[in-house]
Amino acid sequence: MLFGRTQKNPITIADKQVVDWKYAACGYCSTGCSIEVGMNADGKPVASRGVADADVNRGKLCLKGIFEHELFDSAGRGTVPKMRNHWNQEWQRTDWDTALDKLHDEVRRIQAKHGPDSFAIISTGQMLTEEFYTLGKLTRGLIGTNNYDGNTTLCMSSAVSGYKRSFGSDGPPGCYEDFEHTGCLIAWGSNLPEQHPIIYWRMKEAQEKRGFPLIVVDPRVTMLAQNANMHLTITPGTDVVLMNALMHVIFKEGLHDQRYIDANTNGVEALRAEVEKYDPVTAAKICGIDEDTIRVVARTFAKAPAAMQIWTMGINQSTHGSDGVVGINNLALITGNIGKPGGTSLSITGQCNAMGTREWSSCSGLPGFRYLEVPEHRAEMAKFWNVDEEFFPKKRGMLQTDIYQAMEAGQIKGLWLIATNPMSSLPNTARIRRAMEQLEFCVVQDCYQDTESAQYAHVYLPAGTWAEKDGVMTNTERRINRVKPLAIPPGEAKPDLWVFNRMAERFNKAGKVNFPETAGEIFLEMGQLSKGRLADISGMDHALLEKNRGVQWPYTAEQRDKGEVPPKGGKRIYTVDGTFSYPDGRAKLIPLPFIDNNEVPDEKFPIWLNTGRLIEHWHGRTKTGKIGNNNKYSPIPFIEINPDLAAQLGIQRGEYVRMVSRRGDAVAMAQPTQRVPKNMVFLPFHFHDCANRLTLGLLDPHSRQPAYKQSAVRIEKIADQVAAAKLSMEMRKF
């Protein structure tokens, strides 16, 4: 008998001395969890917990949310404005007025010398919606550059483009409640347990009750795939082929919903003609899924009383990303699975407020899903903002990924970066570095002063983060939730809204354009602009959002005035015939020829490189890398490598290896696992100077989103393991 086997030590939980809990919405992913931060007697945030009566997360938080309160005093926070004449000089402390005057003067100098579009502005999916709206008003209404975009191009641009092409407007049609009504779920390139753990819990709870089949399409054996009824290990970049083959079977066997197609869509004959080319036998040779499996999946999906599809970056981050989204929408439309409980195509958004920037930032056009290309929209916004209609460009300018190519070519001379870090997040890092070095002027506005991109800045503006600010965010299912200021930004740092309003004063000296000072006032202004549009929020205000733990749009002033309470469970759009956003009210069925323009393995670079997210980290680790309870799980980059490939190359577990692509090389630790096939490695994208030294800059022609998921590399054994370990450690310092 083992000594002490019968003794049980009591479990003790540290008392954080919380005296008050304050409400906010989580600032990491797009799930939209309601969170409460515990404050001690000194007013310091010391704990986080989920909100029990919030419909989204029902009291639960993931690993990142549990420790989110530690963000406020994490390392590397910027506390004072700084300036320098050249990016290779030392920073000099300055005051806010001097720094903002410098930004104003440089914008106007560069525009006067090189043209209005020679200065670019790139924001983020991390700010609050009122901040997005104010920055958009400043950029479109006063500064006048058309090269204005956000880092959401790197994650959700394909979803936006696909929704617009199919339905006439952006906006996910479904909601989380659809898990509780569906009869079949296909997950395309989505690993919910690690990417969006609370959405996974919602899905899994519904599946256990209803028993619907889960079909996962992913080249890697993800955590979600391990729990699937069917796992389709597709050849990277060939999702459109599989979608066309599924539609081929559905049409061939008469499993489509002809009534819904006739009542709600255009283009079915052209679609049928295209998918006729993709019989399962032919498709199997391209996408790697055998013909019988294709038929079983098609029948399972089409025969379900309601069928649901979700996707994340596995679809979006591809040269066929927008087509992949359209293919998902095509499948939903021909089977009548749009706008009904359990039937939807639901993109799982990336960042906490990527939906907010899509709705209100003016990056892709004008607020409230208005387009620069539509004269009536330009006239409406010019009148509302009191600016000259001719000041607006007639079409959208460059997206983020094109902006950096233009910088490299010398067409863009100045850059305002806001809460984003392209030196870590964009593909083909070497090209981004060259582009940043060529700028005449760069300002970085960020809550952290030690981001990799800040090394190329001439001005640094210290900003607040998350719940140091006041405003709202919109989650994956169109639910708007309140973020309240729980802490004060450190030192002289200021909320982003304060910075934008102070800049507006400098560009708006005549006072023609109104810039409200508080987030509550701005939200009501947005509500006025939203009346009668798809994303109608005119019935909402900050108090209602906090009271209801978030409200989904649309919720109109008419609904509010009639006493109609916002639905607690879920709200859908496109719920009746003829409600799509095209002028005739119909959706478009769009044929999708497959053009194989992927980078594929060859003799010199024989291994697929797949990239993705870990549950403990967020994007470039700017935040989670500084929180010990997140960073400890994976403080250095590693690759998942098949044991057979590792043995063939003579690589042992825990050894560092060198990956080489056509763009560059990177070093990571090898972790043999059967989760990847022999011809593939998986590399988390969170680590600076690693994954994106390898990824290629090929872009989707519709969305301009990079193809992070399809690259080719070779793996080399490293002789000097001590030097490799030291290099990895030094590169992970902040």
Side-chain angles (χ1 to χ4, degrees):
M1 178 178 177
L2 294 175
F3 178 75
R5 183 72 177 267
T6 59
Q7 295 178 2
K8 301 291 184 182
N9 295 322
I11 296 174
T12 58
I13 299 176
D15 184 358
K16 299 293 186 68
Q17 304 293 317
V18 173
V19 298
D20 188 24
W21 292 94
K22 294 189 176 183
Y23 182 82
C26 182
Y28 278 112
C29 78
S30 69
T31 302
C33 295
S34 293
I35 188 171
E36 288 180 327
V37 175
M39 318 295 286
N40 66 15
D42 297 326
K44 180 182 178 181
V46 293
S48 302
R49 70 181 184 186
V51 178
D53 62 346
D55 186 67
V56 168
N57 55 313
R58 302 170 186 178
K60 292 179 169 55
L61 291 176
C62 79
L63 182 65
K64 291 186 283 290
I66 288 171
F67 298 107
E68 194 162 14
H69 62 279
E70 296 184 13
L71 279 176
F72 297 116
D73 57 0
S74 55
R77 292 295 305 271
T79 59
V80 295
K82 297 179 179 180
M83 289 175 52
R84 57 189 175 187
N85 293 324
H86 194 276
W87 55 262
N88 61 9
Q89 296 176 346
E90 292 296 320
W91 285 111
Q92 301 296 321
R93 179 172 178 167
T94 189
D95 59 79
W96 273 104
D97 282 337
T98 303
L100 296 179
D101 286 344
K102 178 70 172 178
L103 172 55
H104 168 271
D105 294 346
E106 284 296 303
V107 171
R108 287 306 188 218
R109 179 189 68 79
I110 289 170
Q111 288 183 317
K113 183 178 180 181
H114 303 288
D117 295 337
S118 61
F119 193 92
I121 299 174
I122 298 175
S123 68
T124 175
Q126 299 285 296
M127 290 192 303
L128 304 179
T129 309
E130 294 88 346
E131 296 168 340
F132 287 137
Y133 174 74
T134 301
L135 177 61
K137 186 193 292 189
L138 171 64
T139 301
R140 294 289 186 207
L142 295 175
I143 294 177
T145 178
N146 197 21
N147 291 323
Y148 167 46
D149 197 25
N151 64 19
T152 47
T153 293
L154 306 180
C155 59
M156 295 311 299
S157 186
S158 290
V160 172
S161 171
Y163 277 142
K164 287 180 177 179
R165 292 168 68 194
S166 294
F167 304 145
S169 175
D170 186 17
C175 57
Y176 301 155
E177 190 188 66
D178 284 316
F179 292 126
E180 299 165 20
H181 298 282
T182 197
C184 175
L185 174 63
I186 300 181
W188 299 87
S190 178
N191 182 19
L192 284 180
E194 292 194 83
Q195 296 166 340
H196 300 85
I198 304 303
I199 300 180
Y200 171 70
W201 165 70
R202 290 283 302 268
M203 184 281 294
K204 193 63 179 176
E205 185 178 61
Q207 187 190 31
E208 289 174 356
K209 291 177 181 177
R210 295 182 55 80
F212 58 78
L214 169 63
I215 302 163
V216 172
V217 184
D218 201 303
R220 176 172 166 250
V221 186
T222 63
M223 291 177 66
L224 188 63
Q226 289 173 317
N227 290 285
N229 299 85
M230 299 180 70
H231 176 206
L232 281 58
T233 52
I234 193 168
T235 300
T238 61
D239 302 270
V240 168
V241 174
L242 176 58
M243 294 167 188
N244 283 342
L246 295 175
M247 287 186 278
H248 176 101
V249 174
I250 290 170
F251 282 127
K252 202 80 168 178
E253 299 187 5
L255 302 176
H256 55 289
D257 187 336
Q258 193 65 49
R259 187 213 66 81
Y260 186 90
I261 293 170
D262 292 341
N264 295 280
T265 70
N266 293 318
V268 67
E269 294 306 321
L271 178 66
R272 294 191 71 152
E274 182 62 34
V275 302
E276 183 66 26
K277 307 170 187 175
Y278 294 86
D279 62 276
V281 176
T282 301
K285 297 173 183 176
I286 304 171
C287 69
I289 308 301
D290 69 85
E291 57 181 289
D292 289 337
T293 299
I294 292 173
R295 292 190 178 94
V296 169
V297 171
R299 293 164 186 160
T300 302
F301 181 81
K303 290 180 179 180
M308 183 176 178
Q309 299 172 88
I310 62 172
W311 73 95
T312 320
M313 298 310 125
I315 291 292
N316 291 342
Q317 292 178 339
S318 166
T319 56
H320 311 107
S322 180
D323 281 355
V325 175
V326 169
I328 289 170
N329 294 335
N330 283 344
L331 276 165
L333 289 166
I334 69 170
T335 55
N337 280 300
I338 289 291
K340 69 180 184 182
T344 188
S345 59
L346 180 64
S347 59
I348 308 296
T349 309
Q351 299 183 67
C352 57
N353 203 19
M355 273 303 303
T357 188
R358 288 155 65 176
E359 297 157 359
W360 290 104
S361 73
S362 302
C363 281
S364 61
L366 292 166
F369 296 148
R370 291 174 173 86
Y371 301 116
L372 288 163
E373 292 80 3
V374 178
E376 294 79 10
H377 291 176
R378 297 197 304 271
E380 184 180 7
M381 287 309 307
K383 181 179 180 181
F384 191 89
W385 282 346
N386 194 30
V387 300
D388 184 355
E389 179 183 342
E390 292 303 312
F391 192 68
F392 291 143
K394 304 298 189 296
K395 63 179 181 178
R396 181 182 183 175
M398 297 181 191
L399 280 77
Q400 181 189 10
T401 42
D402 295 307
I403 286 173
Y404 284 95
Q405 294 181 9
M407 285 164 50
E408 187 181 15
Q411 298 169 8
I412 289 177
K413 304 295 186 178
L415 178 66
W416 185 1
L417 273 182
I418 304 161
T420 187
N421 186 17
M423 279 301 301
S424 180
S425 60
L426 278 168
N428 199 350
T429 307
R431 290 191 66 181
I432 306 306
R433 188 179 298 278
R434 288 195 297 270
M436 296 283 286
E437 288 175 349
Q438 292 182 191
L439 289 170
E440 290 184 11
F441 178 76
C442 175
V443 58
V444 168
Q445 178 176 325
D446 202 294
C447 60
Y448 292 101
Q449 63 184 357
D450 57 359
T451 68
E452 289 80 15
S453 299
Q455 64 185 297
Y456 294 107
H458 301 83
V459 173
Y460 168 72
L461 305 178
T465 186
W466 182 46
E468 294 169 347
K469 307 186 293 181
D470 188 16
V472 303
M473 299 188 296
T474 308
N475 78 344
T476 285
E477 59 170 357
R478 295 170 283 101
R479 189 181 300 273
I480 303 175
N481 206 348
R482 179 82 189 279
V483 177
K484 297 176 66 177
L486 309 178
I488 299 172
E492 298 177 23
K494 298 291 185 182
D496 294 286
L497 179 59
W498 182 92
V499 179
F500 300 148
N501 275 339
R502 302 294 76 76
M503 285 306 302
E505 291 170 354
R506 287 160 169 80
F507 285 96
N508 188 37
K509 287 187 168 61
K512 291 178 60 178
V513 184
N514 180 44
F515 282 83
E517 197 64 36
T518 69
E521 294 174 287
I522 297 167
F523 188 82
L524 294 178
E525 181 176 311
M526 291 156 49
Q528 294 178 49
L529 277 170
S530 74
K531 284 185 178 179
R533 302 194 61 79
L534 180 68
D536 193 325
I537 62 172
S538 59
M540 306 180 195
D541 59 26
H542 278 190
L544 180 73
L545 297 176
E546 184 177 353
K547 176 184 176 183
N548 286 269
R549 308 313 198 198
V551 176
Q552 288 174 281
W553 63 254
Y555 181 69
T556 67
E558 290 74 18
Q559 290 174 290
R560 178 199 61 203
D561 294 342
K562 288 189 298 185
E564 185 178 325
V565 178
K568 185 170 178 59
K571 189 176 182 68
R572 299 163 188 87
I573 55 178
Y574 311 133
T575 54
V576 295
D577 289 351
T579 63
F580 292 98
S581 295
Y582 280 111
D584 62 1
R586 289 171 170 263
K588 287 186 179 180
L589 293 168
I590 302 172
L592 301 172
F594 176 66
I595 302 171
D596 192 358
N597 58 355
N598 295 309
E599 180 178 73
V600 298
D602 57 19
E603 186 175 341
K604 189 174 182 180
F605 303 98
I607 308 298
W608 284 107
L609 172 66
N610 189 5
T611 65
R613 184 186 295 171
L614 304 172
I615 187 172
E616 61 268 20
H617 279 310
W618 181 248
H619 288 196
R621 291 172 62 250
T622 308
K623 294 194 286 190
T624 54
K626 298 166 181 175
I627 296 177
N629 283 309
N630 292 129
N631 194 55
K632 66 184 181 183
Y633 295 102
S634 48
I636 61 171
F638 64 90
I639 57 168
E640 293 181 357
I641 183 172
N642 187 278
D644 291 340
L645 177 60
Q648 178 181 316
L649 298 174
I651 295 167
Q652 302 294 317
R653 179 180 299 276
E655 288 187 339
Y656 289 90
V657 298
R658 180 172 178 252
M659 296 163 287
V660 185
S661 76
R662 290 177 174 84
R663 273 75 51 194
D665 65 344
V667 173
M669 180 181 285
Q671 296 291 336
T673 174
Q674 296 286 356
R675 296 179 72 182
V676 290
K678 187 179 178 182
N679 66 341
M680 178 184 293
V681 294
F682 172 79
L683 174 63
F685 60 54
H686 304 289
F687 301 92
H688 170 63
D689 236 16
C690 193
N692 284 327
R693 291 171 62 93
L694 306 169
T695 51
L696 74 167
L698 284 181
L699 305 176
D700 179 281
H702 298 279
S703 68
R704 311 306 289 166
Q705 187 160 345
Y708 289 104
K709 304 295 185 183
Q710 299 101 40
S711 305
V713 298
R714 67 174 180 265
I715 310 296
E716 297 178 352
K717 188 177 175 66
I718 296 177
D720 191 342
Q721 287 290 306
V722 173
K726 184 178 180 181
L727 172 67
S728 182
M729 180 182 70
E730 290 175 348
M731 291 173 68
R732 304 312 138 212
K733 288 181 179 178
F734 282 101

